[in-house]
Coordinates of all heavy atoms in Angstrom, one line a residue:
M29 N 270.2 245.1 179.2 CA 269.2 244.0 179.1 C 269.4 243.2 177.8 O 269.8 243.8 176.8 CB 267.8 244.7 179.2 CG 267.5 245.2 180.6 SD 266.0 246.1 180.9 CE 264.8 245.0 180.5
K30 N 268.9 242.0 177.9 CA 269.1 241.1 176.7 C 267.8 241.2 175.8 O 266.7 241.7 176.3 CB 269.3 239.7 177.2 CG 270.5 239.6 178.0 CD 271.1 238.2 177.9 CE 272.4 238.0 178.5 NZ 273.3 239.2 178.8
P31 N 267.9 240.8 174.6 CA 266.7 240.9 173.7 C 265.4 240.3 174.2 O 264.3 240.8 173.9 CB 267.2 240.1 172.3 CG 268.7 240.4 172.4 CD 269.1 240.4 174.0
Q32 N 265.6 239.2 174.9 CA 264.3 238.5 175.4 C 263.7 239.1 176.7 O 262.6 238.8 177.1 CB 264.6 237.0 175.5 CG 265.4 236.7 176.7 CD 267.0 236.8 176.5 OE1 267.4 237.3 175.4 NE2 267.8 236.2 177.4
D33 N 264.4 240.1 177.3 CA 263.9 240.8 178.5 C 262.7 241.6 178.1 O 262.7 242.3 177.1 CB 264.9 241.5 179.2 CG 266.1 240.6 179.7 OD1 265.7 239.4 180.1 OD2 267.4 241.0 179.8
K34 N 261.8 241.7 179.1 CA 260.5 242.4 178.8 C 260.9 243.9 179.1 O 261.5 244.3 180.0 CB 259.5 242.0 179.8 CG 258.6 240.9 179.4 CD 257.5 240.6 180.4 CE 258.0 239.9 181.6 NZ 256.9 239.7 182.6
I35 N 260.3 244.7 178.2 CA 260.3 246.2 178.3 C 259.0 246.7 178.8 O 258.9 247.4 179.8 CB 260.7 246.9 177.0 CG1 262.2 246.5 176.6 CG2 260.6 248.3 177.1 CD1 263.2 247.0 177.4
C36 N 257.9 246.1 178.1 CA 256.6 246.6 178.7 C 256.1 245.4 179.5 O 255.7 244.4 179.0 CB 255.6 246.9 177.5 SG 254.1 247.4 178.1
Y37 N 256.0 245.7 180.8 CA 255.6 244.6 181.8 C 254.1 244.5 181.6 O 253.5 243.5 181.8 CB 256.0 245.0 183.2 CG 257.2 244.5 183.6 CD1 258.5 244.9 182.9 CD2 257.5 243.6 184.7 CE1 259.7 244.4 183.2 CE2 258.8 243.2 185.0 CZ 259.8 243.5 184.3 OH 261.0 243.0 184.7
C38 N 253.4 245.6 181.5 CA 252.0 245.5 181.4 C 251.4 244.6 180.3 O 250.4 243.8 180.5 CB 251.3 246.9 181.1 SG 251.6 248.0 182.5
Y39 N 252.1 244.4 179.2 CA 251.7 243.8 178.1 C 252.7 242.6 177.7 O 252.5 241.9 176.7 CB 251.3 244.5 176.8 CG 250.1 245.4 177.0 CD1 250.2 246.7 177.5 CD2 248.9 244.8 177.1 CE1 249.1 247.5 177.8 CE2 247.6 245.6 177.3 CZ 247.8 246.9 177.7 OH 246.8 247.6 178.1
G40 N 253.7 242.4 178.5 CA 254.7 241.4 178.3 C 255.5 241.5 177.0 O 255.7 240.5 176.4
V41 N 255.8 242.7 176.5 CA 256.5 242.8 175.3 C 258.1 242.9 175.5 O 258.5 243.8 176.2 CB 255.9 244.1 174.5 CG1 256.5 244.0 173.2 CG2 254.5 244.2 174.5
P42 N 258.7 242.0 174.9 CA 260.1 241.9 175.0 C 261.0 243.0 174.1 O 260.4 243.4 173.1 CB 260.6 240.6 174.8 CG 259.5 240.0 173.8 CD 258.3 240.8 174.1
L43 N 262.0 243.2 174.5 CA 262.9 244.2 173.8 C 263.1 243.8 172.2 O 263.0 244.7 171.4 CB 264.3 244.2 174.4 CG 265.4 245.1 173.7 CD1 264.9 246.5 173.4 CD2 266.7 245.0 174.4
H44 N 263.3 242.6 172.0 CA 263.6 242.1 170.6 C 262.2 242.4 169.7 O 262.5 242.8 168.5 CB 264.0 240.7 170.5 CG 263.0 239.7 170.8 ND1 262.2 239.1 169.8 CD2 262.7 239.0 171.9 CE1 261.4 238.3 170.3 NE2 261.6 238.1 171.6
K45 N 261.1 242.2 170.3 CA 259.9 242.4 169.5 C 259.7 244.0 169.1 O 259.4 244.3 168.1 CB 258.6 242.0 170.2 CG 258.3 240.5 170.1 CD 256.9 240.2 170.2 CE 256.7 238.8 170.2 NZ 257.1 238.0 169.1
L46 N 260.0 244.7 170.2 CA 259.9 246.2 170.0 C 261.0 246.8 169.0 O 260.7 247.5 168.1 CB 260.1 246.9 171.2 CG 258.9 246.7 172.2 CD1 259.4 247.0 173.7 CD2 257.7 247.6 171.9
W47 N 262.1 246.2 169.0 CA 263.3 246.6 168.1 C 263.0 246.2 166.8 O 263.1 247.0 165.8 CB 264.5 245.9 168.7 CG 265.7 246.0 167.8 CD1 266.3 245.2 167.0 CD2 266.5 247.2 167.7 NE1 267.4 245.7 166.3 CE2 267.6 246.9 166.8 CE3 266.5 248.5 168.2 CZ2 268.6 247.9 166.4 CZ3 267.4 249.4 167.9 CH2 268.5 249.2 167.0
H48 N 262.5 244.9 166.5 CA 262.3 244.5 165.1 C 261.0 245.1 164.6 O 261.0 245.5 163.3 CB 262.2 243.0 165.1 CG 263.5 242.3 165.4 ND1 264.7 242.5 164.6 CD2 263.9 241.5 166.4 CE1 265.7 242.0 165.1 NE2 265.4 241.2 166.2
F49 N 260.0 245.4 165.4 CA 258.9 246.2 165.0 C 259.3 247.6 164.4 O 258.9 248.0 163.3 CB 257.9 246.3 166.2 CG 256.8 247.3 165.9 CD1 255.7 246.9 165.1 CD2 256.8 248.6 166.3 CE1 254.7 247.8 164.9 CE2 255.9 249.6 166.1 CZ 254.8 249.1 165.3
A50 N 260.1 248.2 165.3 CA 260.5 249.7 164.9 C 261.4 249.6 163.6 O 261.2 250.4 162.7 CB 261.3 250.3 166.0
R51 N 262.3 248.6 163.5 CA 263.1 248.6 162.3 C 262.3 248.2 161.0 O 262.6 248.7 159.9 CB 264.3 247.5 162.5 CG 265.2 247.9 163.5 CD 266.5 247.2 163.6 NE 267.2 247.3 162.3 CZ 267.4 246.2 161.5 NH1 266.9 245.0 161.7 NH2 268.0 246.5 160.4
R52 N 261.3 247.2 161.2 CA 260.5 246.8 160.0 C 259.5 247.9 159.7 O 259.3 248.3 158.5 CB 259.8 245.6 160.3 CG 260.5 244.3 159.9 CD 259.5 243.2 159.9 NE 258.7 243.1 161.1 CZ 258.9 242.5 162.2 NH1 260.1 241.9 162.4 NH2 258.1 242.5 163.2
Q53 N 258.7 248.5 160.6 CA 257.6 249.3 160.3 C 258.0 250.7 160.1 O 257.3 251.6 159.6 CB 256.5 249.2 161.5 CG 256.0 247.8 161.7 CD 255.2 247.3 160.4 OE1 254.6 248.0 159.8 NE2 255.4 246.0 160.2
R54 N 259.1 251.2 160.8 CA 259.7 252.5 160.7 C 258.6 253.5 161.1 O 258.2 254.4 160.4 CB 260.2 252.9 159.3 CG 261.0 251.9 158.6 CD 262.3 251.5 159.3 NE 263.3 252.5 159.1 CZ 264.6 252.3 159.6 NH1 264.8 251.2 160.2 NH2 265.6 253.2 159.4
P55 N 257.9 253.4 162.3 CA 256.9 254.3 162.8 C 257.4 255.7 162.7 O 258.6 256.0 163.2 CB 256.5 253.8 164.2 CG 257.6 252.9 164.5 CD 258.3 252.5 163.3
R56 N 256.7 256.8 162.4 CA 257.0 258.1 162.2 C 257.1 258.7 163.6 O 257.9 259.5 163.9 CB 256.0 258.8 161.3 CG 256.0 258.4 160.0 CD 255.1 259.1 159.1 NE 255.7 260.6 159.0 CZ 255.1 261.5 158.3 NH1 254.0 261.3 157.6 NH2 255.6 262.7 158.4
R57 N 256.3 258.4 164.5 CA 256.2 258.9 165.8 C 256.5 257.9 166.9 O 256.0 256.7 166.7 CB 254.9 259.6 166.1 CG 254.7 260.9 165.2 CD 253.4 261.5 165.6 NE 252.2 260.6 165.5 CZ 251.6 260.3 164.3 NH1 252.1 260.9 163.2 NH2 250.6 259.5 164.3
P58 N 257.2 258.3 168.0 CA 257.4 257.3 169.1 C 256.2 256.7 169.7 O 256.1 255.4 169.9 CB 258.1 258.0 170.1 CG 258.8 259.2 169.4 CD 257.8 259.5 168.2
S59 N 255.0 257.4 169.6 CA 253.9 256.8 170.2 C 253.3 255.8 169.4 O 252.5 254.9 169.9 CB 252.7 257.9 170.2 OG 252.5 258.5 168.9
Q60 N 253.7 255.6 168.2 CA 253.3 254.4 167.3 C 254.0 253.1 167.8 O 253.6 252.1 167.2 CB 253.6 254.8 165.8 CG 252.7 255.8 165.3 CD 253.1 256.2 163.8 OE1 254.1 256.8 163.7 NE2 252.2 256.0 162.9
M61 N 254.8 253.2 168.7 CA 255.4 252.0 169.2 C 254.3 251.2 169.9 O 254.5 250.0 170.1 CB 256.6 252.3 170.2 CG 257.8 252.8 169.5 SD 258.5 251.7 168.4 CE 259.3 250.6 169.5
S62 N 253.2 251.8 170.3 CA 252.1 251.1 171.0 C 251.5 250.2 170.0 O 250.7 249.3 170.6 CB 251.2 252.2 171.6 OG 250.6 252.9 170.6
E63 N 251.7 250.4 168.7 CA 251.0 249.3 167.8 C 251.7 248.0 167.9 O 251.3 247.1 167.3 CB 251.1 250.0 166.4 CG 250.3 251.1 166.2 CD 250.6 252.0 164.9 OE1 251.1 251.3 164.0 OE2 250.1 253.1 164.9
C64 N 252.8 248.0 168.7 CA 253.5 246.7 168.9 C 252.9 246.1 170.1 O 253.4 246.4 171.3 CB 255.1 246.8 169.0 SG 255.9 245.3 169.2
L65 N 251.9 245.2 170.1 CA 251.3 244.6 171.1 C 250.7 245.4 172.3 O 250.7 245.0 173.4 CB 252.2 243.4 171.6 CG 252.6 242.5 170.6 CD1 253.7 241.6 171.1 CD2 251.5 241.7 170.0
G66 N 250.5 246.7 172.0 CA 249.9 247.6 173.1 C 251.0 248.1 174.0 O 250.6 248.7 174.9
A67 N 252.3 248.1 173.6 CA 253.3 248.4 174.6 C 253.1 249.9 174.9 O 252.7 250.8 174.0 CB 254.7 248.3 173.9
G68 N 253.3 250.2 176.2 CA 253.1 251.6 176.6 C 251.7 252.1 176.9 O 251.6 253.3 177.4
T69 N 250.7 251.4 176.7 CA 249.4 251.8 177.0 C 248.9 251.4 178.2 O 247.7 251.7 178.5 CB 248.4 251.3 175.8 OG1 248.4 249.9 175.8 CG2 248.8 251.8 174.4
G70 N 249.7 250.9 179.0 CA 249.2 250.5 180.4 C 249.6 251.6 181.5 O 249.2 252.8 181.3
C71 N 250.6 251.2 182.3 CA 251.0 252.1 183.3 C 251.9 253.3 182.8 O 252.1 254.3 183.5 CB 251.8 251.4 184.4 SG 253.5 250.8 183.8
G72 N 252.5 253.2 181.7 CA 253.3 254.2 181.2 C 254.7 254.1 181.5 O 255.6 254.9 181.0
W73 N 255.2 253.3 182.4 CA 256.5 253.1 182.8 C 257.5 253.0 181.7 O 258.6 253.7 181.6 CB 256.7 251.9 183.7 CG 258.2 251.4 183.8 CD1 258.6 250.3 183.3 CD2 259.2 252.1 184.4 NE1 260.0 250.2 183.5 CE2 260.4 251.3 184.2 CE3 259.4 253.3 185.1 CZ2 261.7 251.6 184.6 CZ3 260.7 253.7 185.5 CH2 261.7 252.8 185.4
C74 N 257.2 252.1 180.6 CA 258.2 251.9 179.6 C 258.2 252.9 178.5 O 259.1 252.8 177.7 CB 257.8 250.5 178.9 SG 256.1 250.5 178.2
I75 N 257.4 253.9 178.6 CA 257.4 254.9 177.4 C 258.8 255.6 177.2 O 259.1 255.6 176.0 CB 256.3 255.9 177.7 CG1 254.9 255.3 177.5 CG2 256.5 257.2 176.8 CD1 253.7 256.2 177.7
P76 N 259.6 256.0 178.2 CA 260.8 256.5 177.8 C 261.8 255.6 177.1 O 262.5 255.9 176.3 CB 261.4 256.9 179.1 CG 260.3 257.1 180.0 CD 259.2 256.1 179.6
F77 N 261.7 254.2 177.5 CA 262.4 253.3 176.8 C 261.9 253.0 175.4 O 262.7 252.7 174.5 CB 262.4 252.0 177.7 CG 263.0 252.1 179.0 CD1 262.1 252.4 180.1 CD2 264.3 252.1 179.2 CE1 262.6 252.7 181.4 CE2 264.9 252.3 180.5 CZ 264.0 252.7 181.6
L78 N 260.6 253.0 175.2 CA 260.0 252.8 173.9 C 260.6 254.0 173.0 O 260.9 253.7 171.8 CB 258.5 252.9 173.9 CG 257.9 251.7 174.7 CD1 256.4 252.0 174.7 CD2 258.2 250.4 174.3
C79 N 260.6 255.2 173.5 CA 261.2 256.3 172.7 C 262.6 256.1 172.4 O 263.1 256.4 171.2 CB 261.0 257.6 173.5 SG 259.3 258.1 173.7
R80 N 263.4 255.6 173.3 CA 264.8 255.3 173.0 C 265.0 254.2 172.0 O 265.7 254.3 171.1 CB 265.4 254.9 174.2 CG 267.1 254.8 174.2 CD 267.6 254.5 175.5 NE 267.2 255.3 176.6 CZ 267.4 254.9 177.9 NH1 268.0 253.9 178.2 NH2 267.0 255.7 178.9
I81 N 264.2 253.1 172.1 CA 264.2 252.1 171.1 C 263.8 252.6 169.7 O 264.5 252.3 168.7 CB 263.2 250.8 171.5 CG1 263.8 250.3 172.8 CG2 263.2 249.9 170.4 CD1 262.8 249.4 173.5
H82 N 262.8 253.4 169.7 CA 262.3 253.9 168.4 C 263.4 254.7 167.8 O 263.8 254.6 166.6 CB 261.0 254.9 168.7 CG 260.7 255.6 167.4 ND1 260.9 256.9 167.4 CD2 259.8 255.2 166.5 CE1 260.4 257.3 166.2 NE2 259.7 256.3 165.6
E83 N 264.0 255.7 168.6 CA 265.1 256.6 168.0 C 266.3 255.7 167.5 O 266.7 256.0 166.4 CB 265.5 257.5 169.1 CG 266.6 258.5 168.7 CD 267.2 259.2 169.9 OE1 266.5 259.3 170.9 OE2 268.3 259.8 169.7
Q84 N 266.8 254.7 168.3 CA 267.9 254.0 167.8 C 267.6 253.1 166.7 O 268.4 252.9 165.8 CB 268.4 253.1 168.9 CG 269.0 254.0 170.1 CD 270.3 254.8 169.6 OE1 271.0 254.2 168.9 NE2 270.2 256.1 169.9
A85 N 266.3 252.5 166.7 CA 266.0 251.6 165.6 C 266.0 252.3 164.2 O 266.3 251.7 163.2 CB 264.6 250.9 165.8
L86 N 265.4 253.5 164.3 CA 265.4 254.4 162.9 C 266.8 254.7 162.5 O 266.9 255.1 161.3 CB 264.4 255.5 163.1 CG 263.0 255.2 162.7 CD1 262.3 254.0 163.5 CD2 262.2 256.4 162.7
K87 N 267.8 254.7 163.3 CA 269.1 254.9 163.0 C 269.8 253.8 162.3 O 270.8 253.9 161.6 CB 269.9 255.5 164.1 CG 269.6 256.9 164.5 CD 270.5 257.3 165.8 CE 270.1 258.6 166.3 NZ 270.8 258.9 167.5
S88 N 269.2 252.6 162.5 CA 269.8 251.3 162.0 C 269.2 251.1 160.6 O 268.2 251.5 160.3 CB 269.6 250.2 162.9 OG 268.4 249.7 162.8
P89 N 270.1 250.4 159.7 CA 269.5 250.1 158.5 C 268.4 249.2 158.6 O 268.3 248.3 159.4 CB 270.7 249.4 157.8 CG 271.6 248.9 158.9 CD 271.4 249.8 160.0
P90 N 267.3 249.3 157.7 CA 266.1 248.6 157.8 C 266.2 247.1 157.3 O 265.3 246.3 157.7 CB 265.1 249.4 156.9 CG 265.9 250.0 155.9 CD 267.3 250.3 156.7
D91 N 267.2 246.8 156.6 CA 267.4 245.4 156.1 C 268.4 244.7 156.9 O 269.2 245.2 157.6 CB 267.7 245.5 154.7 CG 269.0 246.3 154.4 OD1 269.2 247.2 155.3 OD2 269.4 246.3 153.3
G92 N 268.3 243.3 156.8 CA 269.2 242.4 157.5 C 268.8 242.3 159.0 O 267.9 242.9 159.4
Q93 N 269.4 241.3 159.6 CA 269.0 241.0 161.0 C 270.0 241.7 161.8 O 271.2 241.3 162.0 CB 269.2 239.5 161.2 CG 267.9 238.6 160.7 CD 266.8 238.8 161.5 OE1 266.8 239.5 162.7 NE2 265.6 238.4 161.1
V94 N 269.6 242.8 162.5 CA 270.4 243.6 163.4 C 269.9 243.5 164.9 O 268.7 243.8 165.0 CB 270.5 245.0 162.9 CG1 271.4 245.8 163.9 CG2 271.0 245.2 161.6
P95 N 270.6 242.8 165.7 CA 270.0 242.7 167.1 C 270.1 244.1 167.8 O 270.8 245.0 167.4 CB 271.0 241.7 167.7 CG 272.3 241.9 167.0 CD 271.9 242.4 165.6
P96 N 269.2 244.2 168.8 CA 269.2 245.4 169.6 C 270.5 245.7 170.2 O 271.1 244.7 170.8 CB 268.0 245.3 170.6 CG 267.8 243.9 170.6 CD 268.2 243.3 169.3
P97 N 271.1 246.9 170.3 CA 272.4 247.1 170.9 C 272.3 246.8 172.5 O 271.3 247.1 173.0 CB 272.6 248.6 170.7 CG 271.7 249.1 169.7 CD 270.5 248.1 169.6
E98 N 273.4 246.2 172.9 CA 273.4 245.9 174.4 C 273.1 247.1 175.2 O 272.5 246.9 176.3 CB 274.8 245.3 174.7 CG 275.1 243.8 174.2 CD 274.5 242.8 175.1 OE1 274.6 243.0 176.3 OE2 274.1 241.8 174.6
S99 N 273.5 248.2 174.8 CA 273.5 249.4 175.6 C 272.2 250.2 175.5 O 271.9 251.1 176.1 CB 274.7 250.4 175.2 OG 274.5 250.7 173.8
L100 N 271.2 249.6 174.7 CA 270.0 250.3 174.5 C 269.2 250.5 175.7 O 268.7 251.6 176.1 CB 269.1 249.5 173.5 CG 267.9 250.1 172.9 CD1 268.3 251.4 172.2 CD2 267.4 249.1 171.8
V101 N 269.2 249.6 176.7 CA 268.6 249.7 178.0 C 269.7 249.3 179.0 O 270.0 248.1 179.1 CB 267.3 248.9 178.2 CG1 266.8 249.1 179.6 CG2 266.3 249.2 177.2
D102 N 270.4 250.3 179.5 CA 271.6 250.0 180.3 C 271.2 249.6 181.8 O 271.8 250.3 182.6 CB 272.6 251.2 180.2 CG 274.0 250.8 180.5 OD1 274.3 249.6 180.5 OD2 274.8 251.7 180.7
L103 N 270.4 248.7 182.0 CA 270.0 248.2 183.3 C 269.9 246.8 183.2 O 269.7 246.2 182.2 CB 268.6 248.8 183.7 CG 268.4 250.3 183.8 CD1 267.0 250.6 183.8 CD2 269.1 250.8 185.0
T104 N 270.1 246.1 184.4 CA 269.8 244.6 184.5 C 268.3 244.5 184.5 O 267.6 245.4 185.0 CB 270.5 244.0 185.7 OG1 269.8 244.6 186.9 CG2 272.0 244.3 185.9
P105 N 267.8 243.3 184.2 CA 266.4 243.1 184.3 C 265.8 243.4 185.7 O 264.8 243.9 185.9 CB 266.2 241.6 183.9 CG 267.3 241.3 183.0 CD 268.5 242.1 183.6
E106 N 266.7 243.0 186.7 CA 266.3 243.2 188.1 C 266.1 244.7 188.4 O 265.2 245.1 189.1 CB 267.3 242.5 189.0 CG 267.3 241.0 188.9 CD 268.0 240.5 187.7 OE1 268.9 241.3 187.1 OE2 267.8 239.3 187.4
E107 N 267.2 245.5 187.9 CA 267.1 246.9 188.2 C 265.9 247.6 187.5 O 265.3 248.4 188.0 CB 268.4 247.6 187.7 CG 269.6 247.3 188.4 CD 271.0 247.8 187.7 OE1 270.9 247.7 186.5 OE2 271.9 248.0 188.5
Y108 N 265.7 247.1 186.3 CA 264.5 247.6 185.6 C 263.2 247.3 186.2 O 262.3 248.2 186.4 CB 264.5 247.0 184.1 CG 263.6 247.5 183.2 CD1 263.9 248.6 182.4 CD2 262.3 246.9 183.0 CE1 262.9 249.1 181.5 CE2 261.4 247.4 182.1 CZ 261.6 248.6 181.4 OH 260.8 249.0 180.5
A109 N 263.1 246.1 186.8 CA 261.8 245.6 187.4 C 261.8 246.5 188.7 O 260.6 246.9 189.1 CB 261.9 244.1 187.7
E110 N 262.8 246.7 189.5 CA 262.8 247.4 190.7 C 262.3 248.9 190.4 O 261.5 249.4 191.3 CB 264.2 247.4 191.4 CG 264.2 248.0 192.7 CD 263.3 247.4 193.8 OE1 263.0 246.1 193.7 OE2 262.7 248.2 194.5
R111 N 262.9 249.4 189.5 CA 262.5 250.9 189.2 C 261.1 251.0 188.7 O 260.4 252.0 189.1 CB 263.4 251.5 188.1 CG 264.9 251.6 188.6 CD 265.8 252.4 187.6 NE 267.1 252.3 188.1 CZ 268.1 253.0 187.4 NH1 267.9 253.7 186.5 NH2 269.4 252.8 187.9
R112 N 260.6 250.0 187.9 CA 259.1 250.1 187.7 C 258.3 249.9 188.9 O 257.4 250.7 189.0 CB 258.8 249.0 186.6 CG 257.3 248.9 186.4 CD 256.9 248.0 185.2 NE 255.5 248.0 185.0 CZ 254.5 247.2 185.6 NH1 255.0 246.3 186.5 NH2 253.3 247.4 185.5
R113 N 258.7 249.0 189.7 CA 258.0 248.8 191.0 C 257.9 250.2 191.8 O 256.9 250.6 192.3 CB 258.7 247.8 191.9 CG 257.8 247.2 193.0 CD 258.3 246.0 193.7 NE 259.7 245.5 193.5 CZ 260.1 244.6 192.6 NH1 259.1 244.0 191.9 NH2 261.4 244.3 192.4
G114 N 259.1 250.9 191.8 CA 259.1 252.2 192.4 C 258.1 253.2 191.8 O 257.4 254.0 192.4
Y115 N 258.2 253.2 190.4 CA 257.3 254.0 189.7 C 255.8 253.8 189.9 O 255.1 254.7 190.2 CB 257.6 253.8 188.2 CG 256.6 254.4 187.2 CD1 256.7 255.7 186.8 CD2 255.5 253.6 186.7 CE1 256.0 256.3 185.8 CE2 254.7 254.2 185.7 CZ 254.9 255.5 185.3 OH 254.0 256.0 184.4
I116 N 255.4 252.6 190.1 CA 254.0 252.1 190.5 C 253.7 252.6 191.8 O 252.7 253.2 192.1 CB 253.8 250.6 190.2 CG1 254.1 250.2 188.8 CG2 252.4 250.2 190.6 CD1 253.1 250.7 187.8
E117 N 254.6 252.2 192.7 CA 254.3 252.4 194.2 C 254.2 253.9 194.6 O 253.4 254.3 195.4 CB 255.3 251.7 195.0 CG 255.1 250.2 194.9 CD 256.2 249.4 195.7 OE1 257.1 250.0 196.3 OE2 256.1 248.1 195.6
T118 N 255.1 254.7 194.0 CA 255.0 256.1 194.4 C 254.0 256.9 193.6 O 253.9 258.2 193.8 CB 256.4 256.8 194.2 OG1 256.9 256.6 192.8 CG2 257.4 256.1 195.1
R119 N 253.3 256.3 192.6 CA 252.2 256.9 191.8 C 252.8 258.2 191.2 O 252.0 259.3 191.4 CB 251.0 257.2 192.8 CG 250.4 255.9 193.3 CD 249.3 256.3 194.2 NE 248.7 255.0 194.8 CZ 247.7 254.3 194.3 NH1 247.1 254.7 193.3 NH2 247.3 253.2 195.0
Q120 N 253.9 258.1 190.6 CA 254.4 259.2 189.9 C 253.4 259.6 188.8 O 252.7 258.7 188.3 CB 255.8 258.9 189.4 CG 256.7 258.5 190.5 CD 258.2 258.2 189.9 OE1 258.4 258.4 188.7 NE2 258.9 257.6 190.8
P121 N 253.5 260.8 188.3 CA 252.8 261.3 187.1 C 253.0 260.3 185.9 O 254.2 259.9 185.7 CB 253.2 262.7 186.8 CG 253.9 263.2 188.0 CD 254.3 262.0 188.7
R122 N 252.1 259.9 185.3 CA 252.3 258.9 184.3 C 253.1 259.4 183.1 O 253.0 260.5 182.6 CB 250.8 258.5 183.6 CG 250.8 257.4 182.6 CD 249.5 257.1 182.1 NE 249.4 255.9 181.2 CZ 250.0 255.9 179.9 NH1 250.5 257.0 179.4 NH2 249.9 254.8 179.3
N123 N 254.1 258.6 182.7 CA 254.9 259.0 181.6 C 254.0 259.1 180.3 O 253.1 258.4 180.2 CB 256.0 257.9 181.3 CG 257.0 257.9 182.4 OD1 257.3 258.8 183.1 ND2 257.6 256.7 182.7
K124 N 254.4 260.0 179.4 CA 253.6 260.2 178.2 C 254.6 260.2 177.0 O 255.8 260.6 177.2 CB 252.9 261.6 178.3 CG 251.8 261.7 179.3 CD 251.1 263.0 179.2 CE 249.9 263.2 180.0 NZ 249.6 262.4 181.1
F125 N 254.1 259.9 175.9 CA 254.9 259.9 174.6 C 255.1 261.4 174.3 O 254.3 262.3 174.5 CB 254.1 259.2 173.5 CG 254.3 257.8 173.5 CD1 253.2 256.9 174.0 CD2 255.4 257.1 173.3 CE1 253.3 255.6 174.0 CE2 255.6 255.8 173.3 CZ 254.5 255.0 173.6
Ligands
FES11 S1 255.3 248.7 181.5 FE1 254.6 249.3 179.5 S2 252.7 250.3 179.9 FE2 253.3 249.5 181.8

């Protein structure tokens, strides 16, 4: 997925906002990713991705402009949207931090 692609559909939060939030704020726990525009506090679909973004961002140096790695979410936006649709429709247990 590209930096401008949405990760949290419930709150319309794109990858680049989450990535830069995590690099700047250095949240101690993955659940603190929700402080970025409420990401993860809706349906919960994006929580595993927020955890991945959090983990990778904290491994990157906090200074300078470092874009999110291409491989961070290894799905096309269409695949991502389709999987979320399946998550919603099948009423799976809500993802948790
Ligand atoms: S997609 Fe992020 S909480 Fe629903």
